[in-house]
Amino acid sequence: MLFGAVLLGNAPTIRALEARIEGLEGNVAENVRHYLGSLDAEAYSRARIESEVQRRAREAMRVYGYYEPTFEWQLDESEPPEFVELTIDPGPRVRLEVIDFSLQGEAATDPPFQQAIDDFPLSEGDPLVHAPYDSLRGRLANLSLERGYFEWRYVDRRMEVRPYDESARLYLALDSGPRYRFGEVTLRDSHIERERVLNLTPFAQGDPYLAGELARLNQRLGQTEWFGSVTVRPRLRQGESLALEQRRLGWFQELDVGQPTTADSSDASDVVAGPTLSAMALESAATLGRGDSPQVPIDITVTPADRHQFEAGVGFATDVGPRLRFGWHQPWINSLGHSLDHDLYLSAPEQRFSGVYRMPLENPLRDSYRFQYGFRHRDNEDTQALEATIEAARRWEFDNRWVQTLYVRGTIEDFTQGGEDEQVLLLYPGISWSRTRTRNPTFPSWGDRQRLSFEVSNGAWGSQADFLRMTSETQWIRMVGDDTRLVGRLGLGAIETDDFSKIPPSLRFFAGGDSSVRGYAYESLSPRNEDGLLQGGQQMFTSSAEVQRRVTGDWWGALFVDAGDAFADWGPDDLNKGAGLGVRWVSPVGPIRLDIAHPFDDEDNAWRLHFAIGPEF
């Protein structure tokens, strides 16, 4: 290691030649400086340097249409020279006389190809600039591969420049040939039932080929968590195996994708980067042989995910102090793709153990049955409770990304709230709708989350309390420019009941804490009884507005105002309010938030510190 460092330290450095230019400005001058900046003055004689300066300057100017410039130059007297003084007369600029772009084959009626031509930024009479022409050639070639025109070729590709006439002609003619279509999909080595896996395919045999659809299929297979690796490839020829040796890669490594570029690949509920195939897939696709029917058979090869997966986590928040979490995840337990999760959570005010059994349906990513059980113990402020819960639920996810869940829950809860003891058995159905959208989930630059739920309990089916409960929450994140981030939050809750004493603490409302009204202790805001003990509220309202500003890099400052309370009757005289300053650090392990908040309605505390790790959503 030391020897390598010595060699590196003694390596010769390239002395770039600085160009001091008169007669040019803007992009043309910058391009000349760029071309001359890589000229190593120590590698040439002075005469050769003068020749190289002229040659490179001419090349730099041609791409902007200047083909007949004249130069006066003066090299620095030092050896080797450090700079050159250039006085340039650019001469006349070549202008476009003819622009002739055409499409042949099936691409002539495929809108993205014509759109690419329509987007060409130059018109006849404009000065010649090389870059848009080169960009169009690359864009048409990429579209051909992305959209299944594997026999594409340019039948004419010319740039004719006539400096003496100050004119140029651009010709580009693409013959796309036929558009290939998706062929038979073959699944290999799957431990999950074939039909259940193929239900994830976003295309049918005979549909026009789109690289983005392969990327989407690859992503969907990975999202099931059934597989340790996934390979999705077009086959070279009917009846032949893949030309390239298969590699054992994770599903996320097989296809590199960017943003969707055509309407054909814009599924709002299943957006993936794309449609840009990996070099491996493109090489396979580009050598397809045309048979009687131009179809592309697709091969899917998978390996099982680990059947037992374990994780452990340690965290800290001022609401609950240190916290531990242990998880046992079984992503598949049979050929139907059923899964089972167990979770153990430990903190000072709360300990819980829960399990979820999932039964995916025809669309395993969207529709499922879920059966859940859990045990929880709480000892916080004036709340002591021990509860056991079971739940059966049906889940749907719609194209607009809203998730609907219909469930029936049974709970036995033995609790003491505000000095009053009670034990209650509840059986109640509920329905909820939720949606979370985000860009960059770790520290979103854009996102929002909504949730609305209704639950009802009645003695008619054996429940020991009658109530109707509603909760609603919304949170928004938006960026203003590159360095200002706005965060807003609003929460509502209400319980309608004739006997509030039968409502357990798990269903009552409390406010205050890191993610509620900062400046107040965790769940310390609610109506109190005659002894000053917390009772929990029948209604709840919380709101927050926060402005964050980038200080430097991943460090942000924050200014916030929170207001809210839990109360017994709507229309309280006043809401508890808090405001303060904070720091946000987007660390490698996730965002870290530190806030100092002043509670305006707490005479015993002038300020409170809030600390949490993890994303907002």
Side-chain angles (χ1 to χ4, degrees), residues 81-92:
E82 297 180 356
F83 63 87
V84 59
E85 293 181 350
L86 274 174
T87 301
I88 302 176
D89 179 1

Side-chain angles (χ1 to χ4, degrees), residues 282-304:
L282 285 178
E283 184 174 345
S284 298
T287 57
L288 284 167
R290 183 180 178 185
D292 295 334
S293 177
Q295 290 195 348
V296 187
I298 305 300
D299 286 336
I300 305 173
T301 304
V302 297
T303 61

Side-chain angles (χ1 to χ4, degrees), residues 78-99:
S78 62
E79 288 292 343
E82 297 180 356
F83 63 87
V84 59
E85 293 181 350
L86 274 174
T87 301
I88 302 176
D89 179 1
R93 192 173 188 182
V94 169
R95 294 186 175 272
L96 291 171
E97 183 180 61
V98 174
I99 298 178

Side-chain angles (χ1 to χ4, degrees), residues 332-375:
W332 62 276
I333 60 176
N334 55 32
S335 62
L336 297 175
H338 294 186
S339 64
L340 181 62
D341 290 337
H342 291 93
D343 186 75
L344 175 65
Y345 172 86
L346 301 172
S347 68
E350 181 178 339
Q351 305 86 45
R352 66 175 181 263
F353 178 73
S354 62
V356 181
Y357 187 91
R358 294 179 178 86
M359 298 173 54
L361 300 177
E362 183 176 355
N363 188 330
L365 295 179
R366 290 191 173 190
D367 304 327
S368 63
Y369 286 111
R370 300 188 179 195
F371 302 93
Q372 184 171 346
Y373 71 90
F375 303 93

Side-chain angles (χ1 to χ4, degrees), residues 564-599:
D565 204 350
F567 33 85
D569 297 300
W570 283 112
D573 295 334
D574 198 9
L575 293 175
N576 291 281
K577 295 175 287 296
L581 301 173
V583 175
R584 309 287 180 264
W585 177 40
V586 188
S587 76
V589 298
I592 296 177
R593 304 188 299 277
L594 178 65
D595 293 324
I596 299 177
H598 170 66

